[in-house]
Amino acid sequence: MSPADLIELENRFGANNYQPLDVVLVRGEGIWVWDVAGQRYLDCLSAYSALNQGHCHPRILKALTEQARKLTLVSRAFRNDQLGLFYKEICELTRSHSVLPMNSGAEAVESAIKAVRKWGYEVKKVPDGQAEIIVCANNFHGRTLTIVGFSTEEQYRRGYAPFTPGFKIIPFGDASALAKAITPNTVAFLVEPIQGEGGIIIPPEGYLKKVRQICDENNVMLVLDEIQTGLGRTGKLFAEEHDGIESDLTIIGKALSGGFYPVSAVLSNQEVLGVFKPGDHGSTFGGNPLACAVARAALQVIVDENLVDNAAAMGSYFLDRLRQIKSPHIKEVRGRGLLIGIELLPEAGGARRFCESLKDKGLLCKETHTHILRIAPPLIIQKADIDWALERLEDVLKK
Ligand SMILES: *Cc1c(COP(=O)(O)O)cnc(C)c1O
């Protein structure tokens, strides 16, 4: 079938909730993907940071296929030989006390919301039904009803009311707004260390440190959504380390499986996840042996291949070189590690047309909002590949 025919099938039978670039991919290896016609592209999106380890990493592939031949799913009605090892390895690596395994990112966010509410009632003694959670404007935490209910993106909410109550929205990057918004019924503050979908928005220096202090003073749980920023993306294992703090709950997903399979988790100090008793929460696929085997390998690759340090080194090189590009369209280049945003001027005519031109030159990336190009290649990328990408970016952005 021709690419045009395959695209036509997608358009005819699929729900129309995406508008992808018209490139039909058939194969991936490392930082590269190939389309139906054999054309090669450098993947600078990494499935929104789910592919930190690169496409089809051989070690994760091996873990997946070996486990898939043995045992894939038992449900949590029974135990399996991968779950305990996954728990131990992820807790040791992230210095967490306990972990709740789920599947998608949004599901892990929902799970964290349930946990902090229950903690609020049982430990903090908030009156029943009164728990409040503070979140930030311009957030992205996923697409379930509860989550889009506290989004400030009009399109994410339109047509989906009524929403779950109990959320308060404050500006991102403003610690004093958090201090003001807290009441005796506040159980948690949920925030991304860097707003990824929001446009690679980096908060002011020391923001998380202040936030940590305010949460401590008020017995409020600090919940960091590191689904996109975590597992090496920003040049630290977790973005919280840039501020030298530790969250109470950290939500991860995406790269936890290196792109093979949906695996997410809530990492916690004992106190918060300790509120769950048998039957309080669950998931048929959460913690299944295939997911655990894949996640164990995906984490091991991050460690063994030094992906965190490589993200730091390659990220600062990429950022420096991007900042040297003289373009009439660029307003600002910003980023941390290999999470980089190129904000275009309003006159540039939107980021989409640049993504289209880059695609024609063999580089795949995706606009976020209308005017920001996100550059987030797999963390295995090397300097020569970045130079290759820079040539194309410079070409397109100078025009
Ligand atoms: C992608 C993402 C989510 C949602 O994850 P899904 O797996 O798509 O449900 C939540 N929070 C952040 C910060 C994300 O980047």
Side-chain angles (χ1 to χ4, degrees):
M1 247 188 212
S2 74
D5 290 338
L6 293 168
I7 290 168
E8 203 274 324
L9 287 179
E10 283 191 23
N11 291 344
R12 179 144 47 106
F13 294 110
N16 190 28
N17 58 330
Y18 277 97
Q19 191 191 15
L21 291 181
D22 283 336
V23 54
V24 182
L25 301 171
V26 293
R27 189 165 79 81
E29 189 185 321
I31 60 171
W32 301 99
V33 287
W34 285 262
D35 72 9
V36 181
Q39 181 66 48
R40 187 180 80 155
Y41 304 86
L42 201 166
D43 184 355
C44 276
L45 180 64
S46 309
Y48 304 93
S49 297
L51 290 156
N52 287 0
Q53 301 88 338
H55 286 271
C56 297
H57 194 289
R59 278 181 66 190
I60 311 174
L61 175 65
K62 183 162 177 278
L64 176 98
T65 51
E66 281 180 3
Q67 186 61 42
R69 279 195 206 97
K70 286 196 292 198
L71 184 69
T72 58
L73 180 66
V74 295
S75 85
R76 296 290 301 281
F78 312 114
R79 298 184 188 268
N80 73 71
D81 73 344
Q82 292 295 309
L83 186 61
L85 294 167
F86 168 60
Y87 283 173
K88 177 171 182 286
E89 288 163 14
I90 197 170
C91 284
E92 282 175 1
L93 178 66
T94 65
R95 286 173 292 128
S96 305
H97 293 281
S98 71
V99 49
L100 173 69
M102 298 299 289
N103 310 286
S104 70
E107 240 184 326
V109 173
E110 289 269 347
S111 305
I113 290 169
K114 287 171 82 173
V116 292
R117 280 188 171 182
K118 207 172 189 58
W119 171 85
Y121 298 125
E122 293 185 358
V123 180
K124 190 171 176 174
K125 306 291 181 200
V126 170
D128 199 32
Q130 303 294 304
E132 294 167 358
I133 295 171
I134 300 171
V135 299
C136 286
N138 198 42
N139 70 66
F140 184 82
H141 298 290
R143 298 289 203 153
T144 64
L145 264 182
T146 289
I147 292 170
V148 298
F150 57 78
S151 171
T152 54
E153 195 63 34
E154 166 60 18
Q155 197 195 354
Y156 296 173
R157 299 163 49 86
R158 196 184 314 132
Y160 301 138
F163 299 114
T164 311
F167 297 91
K168 223 187 237 182
I169 300 168
I170 61 168
F172 180 64
D174 181 350
S176 65
L178 173 64
K180 280 194 212 112
I182 288 174
T183 75
N185 293 338
T186 304
V187 297
F189 177 47
L190 167 63
V191 64
E192 301 152 82
I194 293 172
Q195 290 186 328
E197 299 312 295
I200 324 293
I201 310 293
I202 302 170
E205 185 83 29
Y207 173 63
L208 285 183
K209 204 169 221 140
K210 280 188 217 144
V211 159
R212 177 68 273 180
Q213 193 183 347
I214 293 164
C215 287
D216 283 342
E217 285 162 8
N218 292 280
N219 194 22
V220 165
M221 291 294 120
L222 174 57
V223 184
L224 293 183
D225 181 343
E226 296 233 28
I227 292 170
Q228 189 159 157
T229 55
L231 301 178
R233 176 53 57 184
T234 70
K236 300 274 187 192
L237 186 63
F238 291 120
E240 66 175 14
E241 295 165 39
H242 292 290
D243 275 48
I245 63 142
E246 281 183 24
S247 70
D248 297 300
L249 290 181
T250 294
I251 306 161
I252 56 174
K254 294 201 166 118
L256 183 51
S257 71
F260 276 88
Y261 194 89
V263 189
S264 65
V266 183
L267 304 171
S268 150
N269 60 27
Q270 188 60 41
E271 186 180 19
V272 183
L273 281 185
V275 298
F276 285 137
K277 298 288 174 290
D280 284 348
H281 187 56
S283 159
T284 303
F285 278 81
N288 74 69
L290 188 58
C292 291
V294 165
R296 291 178 64 204
L299 291 172
Q300 204 56 54
V301 167
I302 292 173
V303 175
D304 291 351
E305 297 189 12
N306 264 320
L307 295 188
V308 180
D309 291 342
N310 194 58
M314 292 301 117
S316 69
Y317 175 71
F318 211 154
L319 204 55
D320 275 357
R321 291 285 313 272
L322 282 171
R323 284 184 172 136
Q324 287 165 23
I325 294 179
K326 292 194 178 44
S327 156
H329 308 300
I330 296 179
K331 183 176 170 202
E332 187 188 34
V333 177
R334 55 177 179 259
R336 194 158 279 168
L338 282 167
L339 185 58
I340 297 173
I342 304 172
E343 182 167 349
L344 303 176
L345 291 161
E347 308 83 83
R352 178 79 181 201
R353 68 184 184 95
F354 292 93
C355 294
E356 300 276 1
S357 310
L358 286 164
K359 180 197 73 169
D360 296 338
K361 292 184 182 300
L363 188 152
L364 295 181
C365 65
K366 180 79 167 68
E367 75 275 12
T368 170
H369 287 236
T370 52
H371 59 292
I372 298 161
L373 279 173
R374 171 188 1 220
I375 306 290
L379 308 186
I380 58 172
I381 197 166
Q382 298 298 315
K383 199 154 164 275
D385 308 313
I386 292 177
D387 289 337
W388 188 94
L390 280 162
E391 263 175 55
R392 271 108 199 127
L393 282 158
E394 192 161 349
D395 228 31
V396 164
L397 285 163
K398 276 194 163 164
K399 282 227 176 78

